[in-house]
Amino acid sequence: MQAFEDLRSKRVDGIVIMACVNDPRMLKDYCQYGPIVSWQRMGNDEITSVALDQANGYRLALEHLVSRGYTQIANMFGRVESHNVQSRRIAYETFMESRGLLVYKDWYQYSVYSASDGKQAIIGFDDNELSRMLGITTIRNPVESRYY
């Protein structure tokens, strides 16, 4: 929350949220102090979001795994209430059911944010540092091609 307090006290001009671990409802009050932009859907109109199609990206990851014979797929997510997490979860369930594969809801893990949290991951999303550190396959999000 320090960055938001810095915005309130005008030590910074704006904030870009890369991954939100705070409740977005707590953050909207800070919008009056300067611009806040998030790289993930925040679920409110006060905070601008720039995001990719999470469901499609997750389907690509699932197609990759299933095409290589992996069908018992666990999922590791961030915040359970995150719109991105919900989109990925629904994509997983829809994909698996459409192919007649079992959906392992009891294998869902939430609040996975660090290398130690993600040691069991097979595939990552967003081509982030955690994926590179663990040496795992990841779905690349070419952010640089989306700049205007």
Side-chain angles (χ1 to χ4, degrees):
M1 294 298 295
Q2 182 61 51
F4 296 96
E5 286 300 314
D6 289 345
L7 181 66
R8 185 181 59 76
S9 64
K10 302 299 183 193
R11 286 190 290 265
V12 298
D13 294 326
I15 296 176
V16 176
I17 301 171
M18 299 306 289
C20 187
V21 295
N22 298 302
D23 185 339
R25 293 173 296 204
M26 289 175 41
L27 306 180
K28 70 179 183 179
D29 292 337
Y30 288 92
C31 291
Q32 63 185 313
Y33 304 115
I36 301 172
V37 178
S38 172
W39 277 100
Q40 67 183 60
R41 289 176 184 84
M42 298 297 283
N44 65 47
D45 294 333
E46 292 87 4
I47 299 175
T48 302
S49 298
V50 179
L52 66 111
D53 184 339
Q54 297 287 317
N56 188 49
Y58 220 64
R59 277 190 294 275
L60 289 171
L62 293 166
E63 286 172 7
H64 172 80
L65 291 173
V66 171
S67 74
R68 284 158 177 70
Y70 300 105
T71 59
Q72 297 180 340
I73 301 170
N75 288 274
M76 294 196 266
F77 303 113
R79 291 179 301 111
V80 67
E81 68 277 3
S82 161
H83 291 282
N84 290 341
V85 166
Q86 291 173 24
S87 180
R88 292 175 186 180
R89 182 186 50 76
I90 291 167
Y92 164 75
E93 292 169 4
T94 302
F95 178 89
M96 298 297 278
E97 289 169 355
S98 74
R99 284 160 177 76
L101 300 171
L102 291 176
V103 173
Y104 294 94
K105 292 182 181 181
D106 55 328
W107 290 2
Y108 291 172
Q109 295 180 32
Y110 293 95
S111 300
V112 178
Y113 299 110
S114 69
S116 62
D117 292 338
K119 285 182 181 175
Q120 303 302 315
I122 295 173
I123 196 164
F125 198 83
D126 291 344
D127 195 23
N128 61 25
E129 184 177 344
L130 175 61
S131 299
R132 288 187 298 279
M133 286 174 45
L134 296 174
I136 62 175
T137 301
T138 183
I139 297 299
R140 186 171 188 294
N141 175 18
V143 175
E144 65 278 359
S145 68
R146 292 189 170 87
Y147 292 131
Y148 297 102

